[in-house]
Amino acid sequence: MKHKLIEKTLVDRLSKELILHNFEVNRIDLDKEHNADFILNGDKVHHIFGVRFLHYEKNIALESDIIASYDEVTELAKKVVSWESKYFKDYLAMSSRLGIALNPKNKDGFFNDNDCLQIELEPNEKSIDRALSILMKKFFRNGALSFIEKTNTIQKADFITNSWVRKGEPMRLLTYYPHVPWQMTTGIVLAKLTKNPRYAEILDVYQDFIRDRLSPDSERIKDFKAFVKYFDVSSAVSVSAESPASGTLVSQFDKSSSKSNSPKKQQDKPKKK
């Protein structure tokens, strides 16, 4: 069997398995990208289970991942990070999702160093049967279904992403993210949308982490700053329109500019005697 036929056969059979779990075919590209995505549509929450084929000299391998996407976060990402909405369409916007490659080696079904366990495929029917069995039993049921349950609301996603702050633990990379900047961006977005009472604390810790360890020129850091700025502005607009007496959250990236740009408090005019 040729590689393309192996890919098509496995994807066709996988789609029949996933439809039993209400997943629909979303996108298949076996010519250029050699991958396929299947989507589970929920109420404002979508989960995408994907498979990707890797070509080697004599055989091919298969790896899988699962991501969660939230309509509220996606719409926000389109407003704030315009380049993403052009390249990553709709739910695939990088700043509007969380998820990672699956690996049954981990007790929670995930691999936390941006690598994953590959399933090797040989050009015969027996190998396809074996690969599909491993994919469904160890990757989908062990990793994907657990992930779906843990991330089916933005409140749950915020709980997972920012749990280290709640526990008073040091900043660390979670298994649901490939790298820290992505985690931080998604973290503040989820915290803001869910009205997490510790948003200011979460923001301060993330900003300290950036200053101490990460390059300010990173694209991910630029995204992070863009969201922080957007939240500052939108908070200020909301406060002035609804509750003039309330305070607003000020970004810590540039305290001097925040002070210079903030409106001066008007002094009360002396009353006429």
Side-chain angles (χ1 to χ4, degrees):
M1 298 177 69
K2 293 184 178 180
H3 287 177
K4 188 171 182 179
L5 180 57
I6 295 174
E7 293 179 6
K8 185 179 185 306
T9 302
L10 194 142
V11 168
D12 287 345
R13 293 178 58 181
L14 177 60
S15 65
K16 292 177 182 178
E17 293 278 351
L18 293 178
I19 200 171
L20 300 176
H21 298 273
N22 298 318
F23 275 81
E24 301 175 354
V25 173
N26 179 70
R27 182 184 59 179
I28 297 176
D29 181 358
L30 301 180
D31 294 320
K32 184 179 179 181
E33 299 295 334
H34 299 281
N35 59 22
D37 292 331
F38 303 85
I39 188 168
L40 174 66
N41 284 309
D43 182 18
K44 299 182 179 180
V45 181
H46 315 282
H47 288 90
I48 301 92
F49 181 72
V51 293
R52 183 165 68 103
F53 296 93
L54 306 171
H55 287 223
Y56 298 105
E57 186 177 349
K58 294 183 178 180
N59 63 353
I60 62 177
L62 175 70
E63 63 183 23
S64 65
D65 56 49
I66 180 78
I67 63 173
S69 176
Y70 307 89
D71 289 348
E72 292 177 77
V73 189
T74 299
E75 292 305 312
L76 184 61
K78 289 180 180 179
K79 294 178 183 177
V80 179
V81 193
S82 59
W83 69 269
E84 287 199 352
S85 63
K86 294 177 182 178
Y87 186 76
F88 297 96
K89 302 299 182 183
D90 300 327
Y91 67 85
L92 286 175
M94 297 293 282
S95 295
S96 65
R97 73 187 201 190
L98 66 158
I100 190 61
L102 290 164
N103 191 328
K105 285 183 178 178
N106 271 6
K107 62 181 181 180
D108 63 353
F110 288 83
F111 204 44
N112 58 6
D113 64 355
N114 202 24
D115 195 3
C116 69
L117 183 66
Q118 297 176 5
I119 305 173
E120 292 188 1
L121 275 163
E122 296 179 0
N124 57 65
E125 287 287 346
K126 186 178 180 180
S127 180
I128 294 176
D129 290 341
R130 173 182 170 276
L132 184 62
S133 176
I134 294 174
L135 181 64
M136 290 302 298
K137 290 179 180 179
K138 294 186 176 181
F139 287 76
F140 183 77
R141 294 191 179 94
N142 182 36
L145 292 183
S146 173
F147 177 80
I148 292 169
E149 173 61 29
K150 293 176 181 178
T151 59
N152 57 14
T153 68
I154 60 172
Q155 286 76 22
K156 286 184 179 180
D158 170 60
F159 184 86
I160 290 173
T161 306
N162 297 309
S163 61
W164 56 273
V165 175
R166 185 184 68 258
K167 297 176 182 178
E169 298 175 346
M171 170 74 180
R172 71 187 189 285
L173 179 64
L174 301 178
T175 58
Y176 299 113
Y177 294 92
H179 46 69
V180 170
W182 183 359
Q183 177 180 327
M184 293 194 304
T185 300
T186 308
I188 63 163
V189 172
L190 290 171
K192 191 68 174 179
L193 289 180
T194 58
K195 298 181 180 179
N196 189 319
R198 305 182 78 164
Y199 173 80
E201 179 184 352
I202 293 169
L203 180 59
D204 283 343
V205 174
Y206 283 154
Q207 289 171 332
D208 289 342
F209 190 91
I210 290 173
R211 278 191 290 265
D212 295 341
R213 298 178 180 85
L214 301 175
S215 169
D217 296 326
S218 164
E219 286 296 331
R220 289 285 171 226
I221 301 307
K222 292 178 182 178
D223 290 354
F224 179 85
K225 292 182 178 181
F227 277 107
V228 172
K229 182 178 180 181
Y230 176 84
F231 289 145
D232 285 345
V233 172
S234 61
S235 295
V237 171
S238 175
V239 168
S240 62
E242 299 176 9
S243 178
S246 300
T248 59
L249 186 64
V250 179
S251 170
Q252 301 297 312
F253 278 113
D254 191 348
K255 293 182 179 180
S256 60
S257 63
S258 297
K259 291 179 180 179
S260 61
N261 293 331
S262 60
K264 295 181 179 179
K265 185 177 180 181
Q266 294 182 352
Q267 296 181 350
D268 294 334
K269 294 182 180 179
K271 297 180 180 180
K272 293 182 180 179
K273 294 182 179 179

